[in-house]
Structures are given as C-alpha cells and as structure tokens.
C-alpha cells in the first residue's frame, strides 16, 4: 500500500489532535453570511489549517449547525468560499460579516437564538509560552435572517432581556486562553492530562451554559473559548537585582454566583457565595530555550458555609444577620468541605476573621455556629484529615494600638504554608510546553504518564513521584519538584476587605518560599519593609478592589494597606467613607438587576413564553421558573427587599443543553454546494455524615439567632473563641481548633470601641496523638486577665483529662504566660 503524502499525514494528525482538544486550536475566525446560512471560517495561529462551521439561518427559533470534518489549506478554503458565493448569487451571494476571535456561546430568550462572539481581544499575559487574553469588544448576532424572524424577536420583553444580558460586561474581568487551561491551577495543568469538554464543566468556566449546545453537538471545543471571571495580573518584579515574572490570578466560581446581599452562605449542594480561588505564580526570567523554574501556590476564599442571610435595606447600612435553622446536621457544610478536599487534598485550614466582640450580636452569631459545624464534621473524620480551624478577630487587632496586623497574619501564614507546601518544578525549556511538564523528568520512558496521579488529592502520589523522579531522572541538574497538598480557606463576613489583607500576608510568605526554592534568596522570609513586599501589596490591593467591585459594588476597604503606606489618616477616612456610600448605593439600587443578569448569563434563569418574566419575580429563588420547569409560577410584583435564602439552586440549574440538531451527517462542504447545487440543509474522598445513633454525642443543632445564647450568659459565651455548644448548651472543646484571640489576649477589658492591647500568640495544635504540631513555641511574659485565665483553665482541665492538650499549653495556662508563634 502506498504511503500517504506528507500533507495528508499532517492533515490527519491535525484532525485527530483537534478532536482530542490538543495543541492544534483555532484562534482566528472570519464570519460570512448568505441569506440561508452563516459560515464561520477558523484557522490556527500559524495558518497551518482551516476549518469550516455552518450555522442554519432558516429556522426562527432553533439552532442548527454543521461542522465540516475536512481540514483545508488556505487556498482550498478560498476556493470553497468562491463556490458558495457562486451558488448564492441569485439571493445576494456570500457576504463578509466580521472578523472575530472565538465564540462565547449561544443564547435564546423568547425569540431567536443569538451568537455571542469576540470581535476584539487584548493580550494581558503569558504563562509557560501560552498567551492569555481579555475581551476588548464583543458582539451579539441574531441567527435567523430578517425574513424568517417572528414578531417576538422585536418585542419589548425580548429587547429588555438583551439589555439585561449586556449588564454582564464581558470587557471587564473576563479572560481566556486558546492553549492554556486558565480555569485550572498550574499544578493541575502540569500533572493532569485532562482536556477538551470536561474542562468546561469546571466551576470556573462562566460560559459553560452558553457553550453547552455547540459543544454537545460538535463533540469538541474548537470553536469556543472558555471564559474565566475574576482577576488576572502579570508583571516583571525583581529581588536583589534578579528578575522574575509574577502572576496573580483570581478565579470566581460560577456556582451560587451573585451579589453581596443576594448571595450569602451556602446552598444545599455545598456551593458557597463569593467563592474565589487565588493562584500566585512565579516564573524565572530566562532566555528562551533555557531551563526554567516555575512555582505556584493556591488559596481560597468563600462565604461562611452555613445557611444565613441579610436583607437589602435602604434604611440600614448594616442589616441584621439571620441564621436559618435549616441544616441541623450541617450536611451542606460537609458537602462544601468535601469539595475542597477533592480539589486540593488535605489539610484544609480555615482562617475565620469575623468579629468576636460586638455590642449587638451579629457576626459572632455565625462565629459560634461555624465552630459547631466544624466540630460536628471533625467528629466523623480521622485525626489526620480533620479540618484545621483558626479564629482571629482581625478588626479587633487592627484597632489595638500595640498590634501590627500584618506581622501577626504573616505568623499565621507561616504555619499554614508549612502545612500545605508550595508547587515547584524545573523544566528544560519554556519555549513551548505542551501537556504534562512533569513528564519531562522521565524522558521517553513508560513512566512518563503522570495523568493517573492526582497530586491535588493524594499526597502519597506526589511523594511517590518525587521518589521516582529522584531515581529515574536522567538530568542531574533538574531539581526535584514540590507539590502543594491542601489549601488555606479564608473568610470574613463578605470575604472582601479583611480577607484580602489575610490573603496578602499568605501570599507574601508564600512568595518568600517560592523565591527561596528558585535560589533567588537564602532566607525564606521577605520582610514587610522590603520593596518587594510593597509591590506585592499593591498587586493584592488591586485584586481586592476588583473582587470587591464584582461582589460588593465598590472597591475594597483598604485601611490596613493605607496605613502601611503611611497615607494621611484624613484622606484614608474620606476614601473609606466614599466607598461605604458607593457600596450601600450599589447594594440598594443596582444589585437586583446585576443579579438578574448573572442568572440569565449562567443559565440559572431561562425565559419562556407564557411564564413570568424575570423582573416580575419577587426573588431569584424560584425553582419552578425556567424553560424546562414543570409548572407555572404565579406572577407577583417584585418587591424591593430581596433576601438571599442560601437555599440551593438559584432559579434553574439543569444539565439539559441548549437544543441543537444537525441538518445532515457531517460531510466536506467542498462536496456539497448551495443554490443551484444541493444545499446543506460534560476524588474519591468523602467526609462521612453524622450518624443518627450518636445520641448525646451527636452534632449540635443550629438554632435561630434569638435562641442561640438563650441560656448562656453574656460573659460566658460571646467573648470566647473556644465556645462550641453541644445540643444541651454545654461548652465543649473542639478538636483541631486554634483560638488565636484567646491566646493573644492581655486581660484588658474592652468593648466594641475600646480594645485590649494584644499581640498574636497561640497554640497551633494538631490533635495527632495529642502532640503540638507548631515547629517553635517560645514563651514571653504577659499579663493574663482573671476571667480569661479562669475560662482557659476550665477548658484545660477537660483537655488534660482527655489528653488533648500538651504539657506546654497546660503550663502556659497555669503560669499565665503567653506562647508566641
């Protein structure tokens, strides 16, 4: 049998790779139209191959498309377009519409389908040789031609839905890449060969719903781009004269997405509001073709995973917090942490920054209930997999004269980075890295397939890989890789202002580890007064402002950063006041429409003729409203005050794709002409649930806020960070808890406006065989209040009897000394 010519061999290789979602990806497109069809012509970056997609325009309310399976050369594609034009001369021929850079998706309101495309893009960064882009301009094009469109296409409701969709500004904070899976962390991309359609199902792809129809129809993702919403920043930084590329990425989850007061807490699927993954990437600046070192670390923020809400109010700047008695066994909370373990592995470290001391109980209600939830979950877990829960009232310590918040947070960050580690890898070249970089350590051996190892879920796999690399590597100059195992999850009430400060402190400590692993510095620590720390603070402050605008409606409150820069206090107060007003105005007057737009964009509300319009509903929590709903919902006028009930699906969450159908079996378009010719007519780890036969040792039951402290005195419960109430209202010690506030108190009395002088100290305790896991504990004398000392001794007596506290901690309580990190 004669061998295929080289051109044909390359064409077959490209087609096979395209079907698998490989390196041959379409990046530039041209859209043409005839009266009966759209023709999308796509080519790769290097002008190696051309593909053709045909979209039918003769149906008023259906979406029909056909992908030509043939891979064309540039000349062959031009010849095909000429034949299409000749076959349609009588009806106006083939006309050029626009150049574009990818399909965002397809959407239908009440009338026709619309195609959303990117018409202008802007390069904003580069990761391992893969370009990252933002959208500069987009366009929404109706699919049917004007002759077949119905009156519904021009109705007031249709136009209102179109305007509503435009509220989601695609030119702000959306980014994508053709060749790099920017919806996943660097570690996952380098160690996991997953590609294609499954990536669109991840929680960070915001146009998953919009692309569902075309992806299911064509069985590939050649024509679409996966949009990530959040924050992307890249710039070149230097340390001691050595330069490196620094990238900060924030990925906002599309699950339970929305605005500040309309999305709070958790839903029944374990999805939390304002769920954002932050990744910090450092890449060595070296000439192309040289070995390069890369490193990354991931952290997470998200709303407190309980069922709670706040009402939007024009009269109250700080609405009351309502804790809902809906999940006595914390099933939704368990699901949330199961998902975190599946994504990042163990340990899960929770840094809770909400207030402990308030004149009127608000945040501390959630604080006590959150502690109960963690206690419940930890009862069902083995000691090595228990959640690590850290309480620290950032607001109190910021207002303390003697406390340096950033210094205290960096000490907590050192502890957490020690637990999770960082990702580090050295590769032979960055000129073009495809697939798994880790496989470069194994050359062409059979062991090069690391796709079966899930490093984020299983630390043992990563350890075994390090051992295997050590024994198998043929390049002695390559350093052994390091892997992150586990994640830090930070929250305050909004997960915006205080959370961003804590994430900066964590990022600063992590950056020191990253640069140390690359050989940029001998020490692992970057001092807060170092110019590099100022650069990092500036970038994190920008990220905080961006995320706060998305969720809260204003830039973040950056009092701590402003104070660190030495900004004039009066200027800071004026800036904070203006941002408070801006956030209030947005929450009260703008967020309702913004939430509606998000629900439509994500497909959680699908308009349907004969059903209430979205703006006629009094809430965005109507499960029965949608294209596939089984029954009607009564039309009710939308009231101004709308509450986020944290109760599951937003409006409609369905796996049913947008309806599409192919006209005929896929055939090369060159064999089918138009007009005078025949026409083309989506870890195995699981946290166990609380058993029903646990009797008195069962999980606590959440109660209404008015009943939470019903039988507990003000001095006993609200001021203690260790407080966890069992079902009888008794205090109990929670395993794997760190009470930073309790251990840093100086004994001075205070209320909400007068805080004690304190410095962070604490016992970072790991209940593995009852041993203290902190690497260093040094004693320093400090006054210790009688009430606090008595309260701590009560816990110590119980802890000593059960073997949960170390001798160092018992000695600290008895002697009144402070253990510093």
């Amino acid at each position: 049998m004669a061998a295929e010519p080289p051109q044909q061999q390359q064409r077959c290789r490209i087609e096979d790779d395209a079907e698998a979602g490989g390196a041959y990806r379409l990046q530039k497109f041209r859209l043409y139209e005839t009266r009966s069809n759209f023709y999308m012509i796509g080519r790769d970056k290097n002008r190696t191959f051309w593909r053709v997609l045909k979209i039918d325009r003769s149906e008023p309310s259906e979406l029909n498309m056909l992908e030509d399976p043939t891979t064309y050369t540039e000349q062959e594609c031009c010849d095909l377009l000429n034949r299409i034009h000749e076959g349609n001369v009588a009806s106006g021929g083939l006309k050029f519409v626009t150049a574009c850079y990818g399909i965002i998706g397809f959407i239908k309101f009440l009338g026709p389908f619309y195609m959303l495309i990117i018409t202008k893009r802007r390069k904003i960064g580069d990761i391992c040789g893969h370009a990252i882009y933002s959208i500069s301009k987009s366009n929404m094009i109706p699919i049917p031609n004007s002759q077949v469109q119905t009156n519904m296409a021009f109705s007031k409701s249709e136009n209102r839905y179109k305007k509503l969709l435009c509220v989601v500004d695609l030119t702000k904070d959306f980014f994508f890449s053709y060749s790099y899976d920017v919806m996943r962390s660097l570690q996952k991309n380098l160690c996991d060969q997953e590609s294609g359609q499954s990536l669109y199902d991840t929680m960070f792809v915001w146009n998953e719903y919009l692309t569902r129809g075309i992806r299911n129809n064509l069985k590939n993702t050649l024509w679409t781009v996966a949009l990530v919403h959040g924050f992307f920043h890249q710039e070149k930084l230097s340390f001691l004269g050595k330069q490196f590329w620094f990238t900060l990425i924030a990925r906002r989850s599309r699950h339970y997405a929305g605005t500040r007061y309309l999305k709070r807490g958790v839903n029944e699927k374990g999805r939390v509001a304002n769920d954002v993954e932050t990744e910090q990437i450092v890449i060595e600046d070296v000439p192309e073709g040289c070995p390069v070192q890369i490193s990354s670390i991931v952290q997470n923020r998200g709303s407190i995973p309980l069922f709670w809400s706040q009402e939007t109010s024009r009269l109250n700047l700080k609405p009351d917090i309502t804790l809902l008695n809906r999940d006595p066994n914390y099933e939704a909370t368990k699901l949330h942490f199961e998902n975190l373990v599946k994504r990042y592995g163990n340990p899960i470290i929770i840094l809770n920054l909400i207030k402990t001391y308030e004149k009127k109980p608000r945040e501390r209600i959630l604080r006590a209930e959150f502690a109960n939830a963690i206690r419940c979950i930890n009862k069902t877990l083995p000691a090595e997999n228990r959640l690590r829960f850290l309480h620290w009232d950032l607001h109190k310590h910021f207002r303390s004269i003697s406390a340096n918040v950033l210094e205290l947070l960096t000490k907590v960050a050192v502890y957490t980075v020690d637990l999770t580690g960082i990702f580090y890898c050295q590769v032979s070249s960055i000129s073009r890295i495809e697939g798994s970089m880790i496989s470069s350590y194994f050359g062409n051996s059979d062991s090069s397939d690391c796709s079966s190892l899930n490093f984020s879920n299983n630390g043992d796999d990563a350890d075994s890989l390090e051992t295997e690399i050590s024994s198998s590597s043929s390049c002695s100059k390559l350093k052994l890789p390091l892997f992150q195992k586990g994640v830090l999850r930070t929250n305050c009430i909004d997960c915006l202002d205080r959370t961003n400060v804590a994430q900066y402190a964590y990022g600063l400590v992590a950056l020191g580890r990253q640069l140390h692993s690359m050989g940029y510095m001998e020490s692992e620590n970057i001092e807060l007064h170092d110019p590099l720390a100022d650069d990092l603070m500036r970038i994190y402050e920008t990220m905080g402002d961006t995320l706060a605008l998305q969720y809260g409606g204003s830039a973040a409150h950056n009092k701590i950063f402003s104070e660190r820069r030495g900004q004039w206090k009066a200027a800071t107060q004026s800036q904070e006041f203006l941002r408070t007003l801006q956030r209030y105005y947005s929450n009260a007057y703008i967020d309702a429409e913004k939430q509606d737009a998000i629900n439509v964009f994500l497909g959680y509300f699908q308009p349907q003729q004969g059903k209430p319009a979205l703006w006629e509903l009094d809430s965005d929590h109507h499960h029965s409203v949608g294209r596939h709903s089984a029954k009607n919902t009564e039309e009710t006028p939308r009231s101004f005050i709308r509450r986020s009930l944290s109760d599951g699906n937003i409006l409609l969450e369905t796996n049913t794709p947008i309806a599409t159908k192919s006209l005929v079996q896929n055939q090369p378009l060159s064999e089918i002409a138009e007009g005078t010719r025949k026409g083309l007519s989506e870890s195995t780890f699981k946290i166990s649930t609380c058993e029903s036969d646990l009797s008195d040792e069962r999980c606590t039951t959440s109660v209404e806020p008015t009943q939470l402290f019903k039988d507990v005195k003000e001095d006993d419960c609200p001021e203690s960070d260790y407080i966890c109430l069992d079902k009888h209202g008794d205090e109990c010690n929670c395993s794997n808890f760190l009470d930073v506030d309790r251990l840093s108190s100086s004994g001075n009395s205070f209320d909400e406006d007068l805080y004690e002088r304190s410095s962070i100290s604490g016992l970072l305790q790991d209940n593995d065989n009852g041993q203290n896991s902190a690497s260093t504990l040094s004693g320093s004398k400090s006054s210790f209040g009688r009430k606090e000392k008595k309260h701590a001794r009560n816990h110590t007596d119980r802890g000593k009897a059960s073997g949960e506290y170390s001798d160092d901690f018992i000695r600290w309580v008895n002697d009144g000394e402070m253990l510093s990190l």
Side-chain angles (χ1 to χ4, degrees):
M1 182 179 296
E4 293 180 337
Q7 184 178 9
Q8 183 63 29
Q9 291 179 1
Q10 183 188 31
R11 178 175 295 182
C12 294
R13 185 167 60 251
I14 290 173
E15 291 175 358
D16 293 341
D17 191 78
E19 291 178 0
Y24 294 95
R25 295 182 170 112
L26 303 178
Q27 294 196 20
K28 294 187 178 181
F29 307 83
R30 293 176 68 85
L31 183 64
Y32 298 86
E33 68 173 352
T34 64
R35 187 167 64 182
S36 55
N37 291 292
F38 278 119
Y39 292 92
M40 181 77 79
I41 312 297
R43 67 168 176 86
D44 69 322
K45 179 180 180 180
N46 298 321
R47 308 178 73 94
T48 306
F49 71 100
W50 276 253
R51 297 290 292 266
V52 180
L53 176 67
K54 178 181 177 181
I55 304 171
D56 181 36
R57 303 186 65 199
S58 61
E59 293 290 338
S61 59
E62 292 185 3
L63 181 61
N64 304 314
M65 63 185 65
L66 173 67
E67 182 184 37
D68 188 340
T70 303
T71 299
Y72 294 97
T73 65
E74 184 171 11
Q75 185 58 49
E76 290 172 342
C77 190
C78 291
D79 294 340
L80 173 63
L81 292 176
N82 286 331
R83 292 197 297 271
I84 294 175
H85 174 72
E86 293 171 359
N88 289 271
V89 172
S91 59
L94 184 70
K95 300 177 182 179
F96 173 73
V97 179
T98 184
C100 58
Y101 298 94
I103 297 176
I104 298 171
F106 295 85
I107 192 168
K108 174 182 171 64
F109 305 118
L110 300 174
F113 272 92
Y114 299 88
M115 177 169 58
L116 283 67
I117 59 175
I118 300 170
T119 54
K120 287 185 180 180
R121 67 183 183 185
R122 181 173 63 91
K123 185 177 178 180
I124 57 176
D126 186 285
I127 299 178
C128 300
H130 302 267
I132 311 297
Y133 298 94
S134 65
I135 300 174
S136 297
K137 187 177 181 181
S138 62
N139 200 0
M140 182 165 60
I141 300 174
I143 298 299
N145 66 64
S146 58
Q147 296 181 357
V148 299
Q149 290 185 13
T150 63
N151 293 333
M152 184 59 69
F154 308 99
S155 66
K156 291 183 179 180
S157 295
E158 183 78 5
N159 290 330
R160 187 167 178 177
Y161 276 119
K162 290 166 64 177
K163 292 180 180 179
L164 182 63
L165 186 68
C166 294
V167 173
V168 179
D169 190 349
L170 296 176
T171 65
K172 290 184 178 179
D173 310 327
F174 283 91
F175 50 95
F176 66 95
S177 175
Y178 299 104
S179 55
Y180 180 81
D181 299 326
V182 72
M183 75 289 294
R184 303 198 304 172
S185 68
L186 182 65
Q187 177 170 324
K188 286 187 176 181
N189 279 329
L190 304 191
C191 303
D192 188 351
Q193 297 284 2
E194 183 182 11
S195 61
Q197 294 208 57
S198 59
L199 296 178
Y200 277 75
D201 297 330
T202 61
M203 61 192 297
F204 301 119
V205 178
W206 270 57
N207 59 333
E208 183 277 333
Y209 164 73
L210 298 177
T211 60
R212 197 182 298 167
I214 182 174
R215 289 184 292 110
N216 289 347
N217 183 274
L218 304 182
K219 307 302 181 185
N220 65 53
T221 58
L222 274 176
W223 304 91
T224 58
V225 296
L227 295 183
V228 178
H229 186 42
F231 176 81
F232 185 97
H233 179 86
Q234 184 176 78
E235 69 175 90
K236 186 178 289 188
L237 300 177
S238 64
F239 183 80
L240 298 178
K242 298 180 181 179
Q243 293 186 326
F244 60 91
W245 285 101
F246 179 86
T247 306
L248 188 62
I249 305 173
R251 306 175 180 95
R252 180 176 295 281
S253 172
R254 62 181 168 88
H255 299 304
Y256 205 51
T259 56
R260 185 184 180 201
Y261 287 139
L262 300 179
K263 284 292 171 288
R264 288 295 213 196
V266 69
N267 64 16
E268 85 279 358
K269 293 187 176 182
R271 309 295 190 179
V272 296
N274 199 20
D275 191 346
V276 180
E277 175 185 275
T278 301
E279 182 179 19
Q280 178 175 297
I281 301 175
V282 176
I283 301 177
E284 186 180 16
D285 184 32
V286 296
E288 185 173 335
C290 296
V292 63
Q293 302 177 92
I294 55 178
S295 176
S296 76
I297 192 166
V298 172
Q299 55 180 317
N300 177 267
R301 71 171 75 187
S303 188
I304 297 174
L306 301 170
F307 288 97
W308 61 283
S309 67
Q310 282 182 284
E311 290 186 351
T312 306
S313 173
R314 291 179 178 173
L315 304 177
N316 188 358
L317 286 174
K318 301 176 70 173
D320 292 337
I321 292 175
T322 303
L323 182 63
L324 306 173
N325 184 19
R326 299 185 37 142
D327 191 15
N329 292 328
Y330 306 107
E331 297 296 336
T333 309
K334 293 173 192 173
L335 287 175
H336 173 67
F337 287 112
E338 284 177 15
N339 180 261
L340 285 181
V341 173
K342 182 178 180 180
R343 286 155 53 191
Y344 306 110
N346 281 307
I348 302 298
I349 304 132
I350 305 156
L351 178 57
N352 185 28
L353 302 173
I354 61 179
K355 297 177 183 177
T356 310
Y357 305 93
E358 298 173 294
K359 289 182 178 179
K360 180 180 179 181
R362 293 178 67 255
E363 295 187 11
R364 69 186 187 192
I365 295 173
L366 293 177
R367 190 181 182 96
E369 187 70 2
F370 197 11
N372 284 335
I374 301 303
R375 170 179 174 266
C376 170
I377 295 172
N378 276 344
K379 277 187 175 183
T380 67
L381 295 176
E384 64 273 12
N385 291 336
R386 286 175 182 166
L387 305 172
R388 316 291 181 95
F389 197 25
L390 289 77
H391 280 308
W392 197 61
D393 187 341
L394 186 148
H395 184 266
K396 178 191 72 176
H397 288 87
F398 174 65
R399 300 190 63 171
S400 171
I401 299 176
S402 63
N404 186 319
V405 171
L406 290 177
E407 287 185 358
L408 305 179
L409 283 173
T410 54
K411 294 180 180 180
V412 175
V414 169
Y415 165 69
T416 57
V417 176
D418 284 341
L419 287 175
T420 65
I422 64 171
F423 173 71
Y424 166 83
C425 179
Q426 185 180 18
V427 294
S428 58
S429 174
I430 200 172
S431 58
R432 197 63 190 167
I433 300 173
E434 302 292 351
S436 173
M437 290 188 196
I438 304 301
S439 62
S440 63
Y441 284 95
F442 301 100
N444 297 322
S445 65
D446 294 337
S447 62
S448 62
D449 182 12
C450 68
S451 60
S452 61
L453 300 179
N454 193 334
F455 304 114
S456 62
N457 298 353
N458 193 332
D460 295 336
D461 286 340
D463 293 335
S464 64
L465 179 64
E466 292 174 13
T467 303
E468 190 171 0
I469 290 173
S470 178
S471 60
S472 304
S473 177
S474 60
C475 182
S476 59
K477 294 182 180 180
L478 294 181
K479 296 181 182 179
L480 294 179
L482 303 173
F483 300 96
Q484 180 178 349
K485 307 160 192 174
V487 74
L488 171 66
R489 182 198 192 276
T490 307
N491 72 265
C492 48
I493 285 295
D494 297 322
C495 302
L496 297 177
D497 313 317
R498 288 169 284 182
T499 295
N500 202 61
V501 175
Q503 289 206 330
Y504 159 69
Y506 182 82
L508 182 62
V509 171
L511 182 59
R513 302 291 177 90
Q514 290 174 298
L515 294 179
H516 174 74
S517 66
M518 292 181 174
Y520 277 63
M521 50 190 293
E522 294 182 2
S523 171
E524 293 184 341
N525 303 319
I526 300 175
E527 300 297 332
L528 284 169
H529 56 76
D530 192 283
L532 183 58
D534 294 334
D535 291 334
L536 190 70
M537 183 174 68
R538 169 179 50 82
I539 298 172
Y540 268 86
E541 184 175 4
T542 303
M543 180 187 73
D545 288 341
T546 301
L547 297 179
L549 281 166
Q550 294 166 7
Y551 182 68
S554 76
H557 292 288
N558 295 314
K559 290 183 290 186
I560 294 176
F561 292 152
S562 298
E563 182 183 85
R564 182 71 192 175
R565 287 193 301 268
Q567 184 172 309
W568 187 32
K569 187 174 182 180
T572 300
Q573 292 175 340
S574 176
Q575 173 182 281
E576 296 303 304
F577 176 71
L578 291 176
R579 290 182 177 181
T580 298
L581 291 181
Q582 182 182 359
R583 190 171 293 185
Y584 159 75
Y585 179 83
S586 178
N587 298 158
Y589 297 94
I590 298 176
D591 281 1
E593 183 182 47
K594 186 177 178 181
Q595 183 68 61
D596 288 344
I598 292 173
N599 290 343
V600 171
F601 185 87
L602 296 176
Y604 295 146
F605 180 87
Q606 300 171 25
Q608 187 175 4
Q609 294 187 39
K611 299 293 180 67
L614 182 56
W615 46 86
E616 296 174 345
L617 303 175
D618 61 344
S619 170
D620 70 341
H621 292 270
H622 291 264
H623 301 277
S624 59
V625 179
R627 191 178 309 285
H628 306 285
S629 58
K631 53 186 178 181
N632 295 334
T633 302
E634 293 183 4
E635 292 191 30
T636 56
R638 163 165 292 189
S639 61
F640 169 74
I641 298 179
R642 307 195 315 166
R643 178 185 300 173
S644 169
L645 300 180
S646 301
D647 61 350
N649 298 347
I650 299 178
L651 283 177
L652 175 69
E653 191 164 354
T654 173
N655 292 325
T656 306
I658 297 177
T660 63
K661 61 183 181 180
S662 299
L663 296 176
V664 297
Q665 295 295 327
N666 286 358
Q667 301 178 27
L669 288 177
S670 58
E671 299 177 6
I672 308 174
E674 256 184 61
T676 58
R677 295 172 149 187
K678 293 185 178 179
L680 287 173
S681 51
E682 161 163 71
S683 156
T684 59
F685 180 95
K686 184 174 178 61
I687 296 177
S688 57
T689 58
C690 296
E691 300 295 337
S692 59
D693 59 352
L694 289 177
S695 186
D696 291 342
E697 294 300 319
R698 244 189 113 177
C699 305
T700 58
T701 302
S702 60
V703 295
E704 294 295 336
T706 55
Q707 301 174 347
L708 185 61
F709 301 109
K710 181 177 180 181
D711 300 322
V712 184
K713 294 181 180 180
E714 181 78 3
D715 290 338
D716 292 335
C717 179
E719 292 186 2
S720 173
D721 292 319
Y722 265 111
I723 288 297
C724 266
L725 305 179
D726 62 18
K727 65 189 298 181
H728 303 293
D730 297 327
E731 296 177 11
C732 56
N733 179 271
C734 301
S735 61
N736 286 56
F737 274 64
L738 166 64
D739 178 7
V740 182
D741 285 335
R742 170 59 54 195
L743 300 180
S744 62
S745 65
S746 62
N748 298 330
S749 60
F750 53 82
D751 56 22
E752 188 177 17
D753 297 318
L754 181 62
Y755 292 96
E756 60 181 331
R757 299 173 180 235
S758 61
S759 63
I760 186 172
S761 62
L763 184 66
L764 300 176
Q765 183 173 328
D766 180 1
N767 284 18
D768 187 5
N769 299 323
Q771 297 298 316
N772 188 343
S773 65
S775 58
T776 304
L777 291 173
S778 59
S780 60
K781 296 289 183 179
S782 174
S783 61
F784 195 60
R786 294 179 180 178
K787 183 170 63 175
E788 288 82 356
K789 189 170 181 178
K790 178 181 178 182
H791 187 82
R793 279 205 180 98
N794 292 336
H795 287 290
T796 304
D797 292 340
R798 288 191 290 272
K800 185 175 182 181
S802 62
E804 291 182 349
Y805 289 151
S806 66
D807 292 337
D808 287 338
F809 178 57
I810 295 170
R811 190 180 305 112
W812 165 73
V813 175
N814 291 335
D815 295 341
E817 294 182 352
M818 181 186 303
L819 292 175
S820 300
L821 298 181

